[in-house]
Amino acid sequence: MFRLLRLLFALWLTASGVFLLSRSLPADIILQRLSVDEISATASSLQQQRIAEQRFRHRLGLDIPLFYFSLPTAATHQQWQWHGRRNQYHRWIQQLLHGNLGRSYRDGQPVTTLLAAALTYTLPLTTLAATMSVLLALWLATRLVVHHQIRLFALRLLYALDALPLFVLALLLLLLFANPDMLTWFPAYGLGEEAELVNTSALERIGILLYYLALPLISLILVNLPHLVIQMDAALQQERLTAYAATARAKGAPEKQVIQHHTLRNALLPSLAQLTDLLPALVAGAVVVEVIFALPGVGRLLAEAAATHDYPVIVGGVLLTALVRLLAQFLTDGLYLLADPRIRLRA
């Protein structure tokens, strides 16, 4: 229970810091960046522009103080002042407790609606990438232990692959497999036309979606596979030299059986800690691949929000990323207990 409260406190502290930093700009600067087109389109005279600015400020909630109190500043000669509960942060906390993350500055839509719509594309991508990365890492690591002749070459290849940034890897795949001058096996961007999904079964829709997500999915798998395999291979190499592994070989068990039935479970224990960073890394990687391949997911939504200073969407994205890390930690703790019931987690 204490671990849950501590993680929730870290989640709240992170989101609060991002919220306060995003609103630390003076309201006039935020208005200047956001409301120029809207105000100029609805107001002609100076008085009408001021009225439009006040309405716009009120709609964004920028007409009240930022926090419960304001500190004295030498530039404006402002004294310390207590504002009570009528401030932007208190209003945001109340909305957050009711599941309301506010509205987008750009189009006025609820942030929860925008994130939910984007998650319908990002969630399948990241879930498939995480599952296939772990399964492929397990398969490859166990094969490298058994087949010593290819282990050194495979590890060198994995180290070279690990040195490539995600955006470079994604661009290479794009140039190699979605380029008319090379190979056109996969589409270069997007998720296809709506007409392709008309009069198609659910299985065909899944196939079309996987076809368009192939290159982004391969990019996320390849960028996360090296450190998973390298860590698992090192753990297996250490476990296969233990006494219980030698005893299993002395009883006549082949090397493949020794790996799968004796050493693999113990070797998984140090590798399970990587799951805590794997899921947040996939969410961060989704930002890159969704921008490169023009996918309408959470990553592209956050990139556009950062470019247009859409702070409610940015704060919602930070909350989502922190929630993913929270879930990853709980998942890792549960897998530790399944792998070795003797482990007792402490706060």
Side-chain angles (χ1 to χ4, degrees):
M1 184 62 183
F2 179 73
R3 291 175 58 86
L4 176 61
L5 293 177
R6 186 173 62 184
L7 291 175
L8 289 176
F9 175 75
L11 177 63
W12 164 79
L13 194 63
T14 302
S16 298
V18 173
F19 175 82
L20 294 175
L21 288 175
S22 66
R23 298 292 185 94
S24 60
L25 288 174
D28 294 336
I29 298 179
I30 298 177
L31 286 172
Q32 183 180 1
R33 293 181 178 180
L34 295 173
S35 62
V36 173
D37 296 335
E38 179 176 335
I39 292 173
S40 60
T42 58
S44 58
S45 65
L46 182 59
Q47 183 177 4
Q48 289 177 341
Q49 288 182 4
R50 290 178 179 175
I51 294 175
E53 286 182 3
Q54 292 176 358
R55 291 176 179 175
F56 195 76
R57 187 194 301 266
H58 179 73
R59 180 167 70 84
L60 298 182
L62 300 175
D63 56 340
I64 58 177
L66 174 62
F67 200 57
Y68 295 101
F69 58 88
S70 57
L71 298 176
T73 57
T76 59
H77 303 286
Q78 182 181 355
Q79 300 298 323
W80 187 93
Q81 187 176 0
W82 174 258
H83 302 294
R85 294 184 298 177
R86 189 178 178 274
N87 59 78
Q88 300 176 35
Y89 179 75
H90 186 80
R91 180 180 294 179
W92 175 74
I93 288 292
Q94 285 182 324
Q95 293 176 349
L96 184 63
L97 293 177
H98 289 85
N100 182 9
L101 296 176
R103 291 182 175 272
S104 171
Y105 284 171
R106 289 188 297 168
D107 51 18
Q109 294 189 48
V111 175
T112 51
T113 302
L114 295 174
L115 290 176
L119 275 175
T120 58
Y121 301 101
T122 302
L123 194 59
L125 176 63
T126 53
T127 303
L128 281 173
T131 304
M132 295 183 68
S133 296
V134 172
L135 293 179
L136 189 58
L138 278 172
W139 177 82
L140 189 56
T142 53
R143 291 302 181 275
L144 291 181
V145 175
V146 177
H147 303 284
H148 301 282
Q149 61 275 14
I150 63 171
R151 177 175 175 269
L152 184 59
F153 172 76
L155 289 179
R156 288 177 178 175
L157 185 61
L158 289 171
Y159 277 117
L161 187 62
D162 192 34
L164 290 177
L166 176 56
F167 73 94
V168 174
L169 185 60
L171 289 175
L172 286 176
L173 292 176
L174 187 64
L175 292 175
L176 289 176
F177 300 108
N179 186 2
D181 296 330
M182 298 293 292
L183 298 172
T184 56
W185 291 355
F186 301 101
Y189 62 91
L191 292 174
E193 301 293 337
E194 292 292 336
E196 296 183 20
L197 302 179
V198 178
N199 298 326
T200 57
S201 63
L203 188 60
E204 290 175 340
R205 292 183 180 181
I206 294 175
I208 293 174
L209 181 63
L210 290 178
Y211 173 65
Y212 280 94
L213 291 180
L215 289 183
L217 182 61
I218 294 173
S219 302
L220 290 177
I221 292 175
L222 290 180
V223 80
N224 289 285
L225 186 64
H227 63 272
L228 291 175
V229 177
I230 291 170
Q231 169 63 35
M232 203 171 299
D233 174 76
L236 284 172
Q237 291 294 331
Q238 183 177 358
E239 291 296 327
R240 65 186 298 269
L241 300 177
T242 56
Y244 71 88
T247 303
R249 293 190 195 94
K251 292 181 179 180
E255 187 67 22
K256 185 177 180 180
Q257 184 177 355
V258 172
I259 297 298
Q260 293 180 350
H261 299 285
H262 295 82
T263 62
L264 183 58
R265 173 171 289 188
N266 289 334
L268 285 177
L269 291 177
S271 300
L272 288 177
Q274 292 180 298
L275 294 180
T276 306
D277 297 323
L278 176 61
L279 295 181
L282 287 173
V283 174
V287 178
V288 179
V289 296
E290 286 176 0
V291 171
I292 292 177
F293 294 99
L295 301 177
V298 174
R300 186 179 178 186
L301 176 67
L302 295 181
E304 293 176 351
T308 57
H309 306 283
D310 197 349
Y311 298 122
V313 177
I314 296 175
V315 175
V318 171
L319 275 173
L320 179 63
T321 306
L323 183 61
V324 169
R325 178 170 288 276
L326 176 67
L327 294 176
Q329 291 180 354
F330 272 98
L331 177 62
T332 303
D333 292 344
L335 291 176
Y336 266 119
L337 295 177
L338 288 177
D340 191 350
R342 297 171 300 174
I343 295 178
R344 293 294 179 265
L345 300 175
R346 297 181 180 179

